[in-house]
Amino acid sequence: MANASGNESIWASAGLADQWYVVAETTDLDAARGPIAVGLLGGTYVVWRGDDGAPTAAPDRCPHREAPLSLGRIEHGCLVCPYHGWTFDRDGRCVAVPSSGAGSAIASAGHLRTLPIRERYGLVWISPGTPSGEPPHIPQDGDPSFRRLNSGVETWAASATRMVDNFCDVAHFPWVHAGTIGSDTDPVVAPVTIEPLDADFTGYQYTVEVHDEHGDDVRQRMSTGFHLPFLVRSNTTFETGRRAGHDRVLLLCTTPIDGVNSLFTFVSWRNHDHDVLAADALAFDRAIGDEDRAMLERIPGELPLDNSSTVSVRSDRLSVEWRRQLASLVAGADSTT
Ligand code: FES
Ligand SMILES: [Fe+2]
C-alpha cells in the first residue's frame, strides 16, 4: 500500500481490521440488483442482498479460480460466480458446482468466509475482522422528530488519515470554507477540553458563529467528536437564526480503500425543515464537503500518526488525541489510556 508517511503497518493491523466500516448505502444494494464490489483496507469484498433482503459480504474472490464474484449475478438469493457458475448461499456456503453435477460433495475450502455485516442509518457496515461491538449509537435515529438524510457515497483520492484530521479541525473554516460557512468568521479557535461526549464519541464542546446557507450569521452550540477509527460526529444546536432551538446531527463516515483513497459519505439527522426536499436540504453540506475534498485531494500521501513530523497547535487538540488513540488501536493497546 502506498506509504510515504511511515504508517507502514497500520492498514494491515488487526486493530483496524476488527472495526466497522461503511462501504455503501443500503439503497446501493437495492439499486444494483446484483453483487457490488467494495474496497476496504487494501482488500476487495463482494456485497449482495439475498432473496430475504438480508445482505452478505465476503472476499471478492472465488475459491475455485479467484474470479471476482462481484462480476457474477444473483439467482434465487444466491451469488453465482461468472467463471464456472459455482453458487454461494447467504451464509457463503457453496451449494452448487455445475461441472460436478447435482449432489456432488463440496470441500469446506469451497465455501466463502462471510464478514460481519450490519445495515444501520441507511448505511451498509462491514468488518474484515472480529468487531467487539456494534457501529456507534446515534439516538436521534430512533426519534421520530428527526429526519435522516443520506448523502450518497463518494470516492475521494485522499487518505482517511487526512480526512478525519480535517473533520476534527475547525481552524480551516475561514480558509477552506470561505465560500460557505467560513466567510468573515473569527479565525481564533478558543482552547478546548477533550472529553468523552458519550459512550461512543470523544471530543469537545464549543460555540461558533458561522454563516448559514442564506448568508445569515448563526450562533451554534456544537460538539465534535471521533469514534475510532474513522468516524466523526458533529452535533449542533442552533442558538440564533431561523432554526433557533432546533438540532442537527452530522455523521461523517470515512472508509480507507487503501492508504491514499477513501470512501466518504455523511448522514444528517435534523428536527427542522422537514418539508425541504432532501437534495436541497443536503446541498449546503455537500458544498462544504466539496471544499474539503478540493483541499485534501491536493495533499499527497498519508498523515503520519506520529505527531513528531508535523507541527500541531492549540486548535489541533482533537486531531492530536484522535491520532494518539488511533496509534494505540493499531498497536493493539487500550486506545483510551
Ligand atoms: S472461478 Fe468461480 S467458479 Fe471457477
Ligand atoms: Fe471542512
Side-chain angles (χ1 to χ4, degrees):
M1 201 172 292
N3 222 309
S5 67
N7 295 337
E8 274 78 7
S9 62
I10 80 168
W11 305 108
S13 72
L16 281 191
D18 292 342
Q19 308 297 324
W20 291 105
Y21 297 92
V22 174
V23 292
E25 290 185 346
T26 59
T27 52
D28 296 331
L29 286 186
D30 303 330
R33 297 185 175 280
I36 63 172
V38 298
L40 171 61
L41 293 173
T44 307
Y45 300 91
V46 58
V47 186
W48 78 94
R49 201 186 282 294
D51 275 355
D52 61 357
T56 298
D60 191 16
R61 169 193 173 276
C62 182
H64 179 219
R65 287 296 180 269
E66 304 188 301
L69 292 166
S70 57
L71 299 179
R73 63 180 188 272
I74 306 300
E75 284 183 7
H76 308 297
C78 292
L79 177 60
V80 181
C81 179
Y83 199 173
H84 310 89
W86 287 28
T87 301
F88 304 90
D89 71 12
R90 56 168 290 183
D91 298 318
R93 290 180 51 80
C94 182
V95 294
V97 175
S99 63
S100 298
S104 55
I106 297 165
S108 60
H111 304 311
L112 303 179
R113 176 181 72 86
T114 57
L115 276 60
I117 188 166
R118 299 285 187 276
E119 289 187 273
R120 204 154 294 171
Y121 318 137
L123 306 171
V124 179
W125 306 71
I126 68 172
S127 174
T130 307
S132 58
E134 293 292 314
H137 180 55
I138 306 290
Q140 290 83 357
D141 192 66
D143 183 336
S145 68
F146 280 79
R147 175 166 66 144
R148 192 189 75 220
L149 298 167
N150 288 88
S151 71
V153 181
E154 298 178 340
T155 301
W156 291 17
S159 175
T161 55
R162 296 205 184 278
M163 291 166 67
V164 175
D165 174 64
N166 171 278
F167 302 151
C168 288
D169 161 30
V170 296
H172 72 279
F173 284 13
W175 316 99
V176 170
H177 298 306
T180 53
I181 50 175
S183 58
D184 304 328
T185 53
D186 183 353
V188 176
V189 178
V192 297
T193 302
I194 309 301
E195 59 189 357
L197 296 171
D198 54 33
D200 286 330
F201 289 88
T202 297
Y204 63 100
Q205 307 187 52
Y206 57 108
T207 300
V208 64
E209 299 263 0
V210 298
H211 285 316
D212 67 9
E213 67 268 45
H214 308 289
D216 296 337
D217 286 329
V218 178
R219 186 171 174 81
Q220 301 179 172
R221 192 155 31 86
M222 300 188 65
S223 71
T224 294
F226 64 81
H227 177 94
L228 290 176
F230 301 114
L231 298 172
V232 175
R233 184 197 65 188
S234 278
N235 285 4
T236 299
T237 297
F238 297 97
E239 293 197 325
T240 63
R242 61 189 78 194
R243 301 188 181 105
H246 288 99
D247 305 291
R248 191 178 288 188
V249 178
L250 184 65
L251 182 66
L252 304 170
C253 307
T254 302
T255 295
I257 297 170
D258 56 30
V260 292
N261 296 282
S262 307
L263 297 178
F264 172 69
T265 190
F266 67 87
V267 188
S268 175
W269 292 262
R270 47 188 75 188
N271 61 3
H272 57 82
D273 295 328
H274 290 338
D275 53 338
V276 177
L277 284 176
D280 294 337
L282 290 174
F284 195 62
D285 287 331
R286 282 189 210 285
I288 296 167
D290 288 346
E291 291 171 333
D292 286 321
R293 180 178 184 172
M295 182 76 256
L296 293 170
E297 291 192 336
R298 295 290 175 84
I299 308 177
E302 303 170 21
L303 178 68
L305 298 190
D306 177 350
N307 201 35
S308 65
S309 58
T310 54
V311 179
S312 295
V313 294
R314 185 175 80 191
S315 61
D316 297 312
R317 209 168 272 175
L318 182 60
S319 167
V320 169
E321 176 61 12
W322 165 71
R323 280 195 280 173
R324 187 187 74 78
Q325 292 198 19
L326 183 63
S328 295
L329 179 75
V330 167
D334 180 347
S335 60
T336 59
T337 55

